[in-house]
Amino acid sequence: MNEKIKEKHGPCTDKNCSECCNPVKTKRFMPPELIPKDKDGNDLWKKRRELLVPVDNPEEKLETYDCKNFDPKTGKCLDYENRPNICRGSGCIDPDSSESKENQFKKLSEKKFFKIK
């Protein structure tokens, strides 16, 4: 089950963007078994005590997690080459979109949230 999946492209390394993992954002009520594990079998993500709500979509609520592999000083993944499939398979750029990658990235970087604690 350690098979790596096809990666989705994102601007994280090109543009030093850590939007997806600072914090990690998932749909609400993510099953605990989907939280990735480190090499010792411990959860790689630690759940925060907050929800993020997109300002432009107040019906959506996102759970947030701190990733043990995220370096807040550099904004980079400490083990990017070996990141879990859930990280490889998620990306902010939709290759089938008629919008340019730059516009998609711009929208992502400008997305605003408010926190519920």
Side-chain angles (χ1 to χ4, degrees):
M1 190 110 170
N2 270 344
E3 184 178 320
K4 291 194 176 161
I5 63 168
K6 184 178 179 183
E7 293 184 39
K8 288 188 177 179
H9 178 71
C12 39
T13 53
D14 313 359
K15 297 189 179 288
N16 289 325
C17 177
S18 57
E19 195 66 34
C20 294
C21 53
N22 182 26
V24 174
K25 300 169 211 59
T26 67
K27 292 195 183 283
R28 198 165 180 200
F29 307 116
M30 181 172 165
E33 63 271 11
L34 294 182
I35 294 174
K37 307 285 185 204
D38 64 16
K39 64 181 182 216
D40 298 322
N42 300 311
D43 286 348
L44 195 57
W45 299 347
K46 182 181 179 214
K47 193 172 190 174
R48 289 183 173 190
R49 296 181 58 165
E50 68 181 13
L51 294 174
L52 290 183
V53 180
V55 170
D56 63 351
N57 185 6
E59 298 302 311
E60 183 179 18
K61 302 205 178 21
L62 304 172
E63 291 182 344
T64 58
Y65 298 83
D66 289 310
C67 180
K68 293 178 185 176
N69 282 347
F70 178 71
D71 181 347
K73 290 180 184 161
T74 64
K76 297 194 183 293
C77 179
L78 296 172
D79 196 11
Y80 188 80
E81 291 303 314
N82 297 307
R83 66 197 186 284
N85 284 340
I86 195 167
C87 298
R88 290 177 182 278
S90 62
C92 60
I93 303 296
D94 179 358
D96 299 325
S97 175
S98 59
E99 269 190 278
S100 72
K101 289 179 183 178
E102 283 300 318
N103 275 353
Q104 290 182 63
F105 174 70
K106 185 174 190 248
K107 281 184 179 177
L108 169 74
S109 62
E110 292 175 349
K111 190 162 188 150
K112 303 288 183 220
F113 297 93
F114 61 89
K115 292 180 187 180
I116 299 174
K117 296 225 177 206

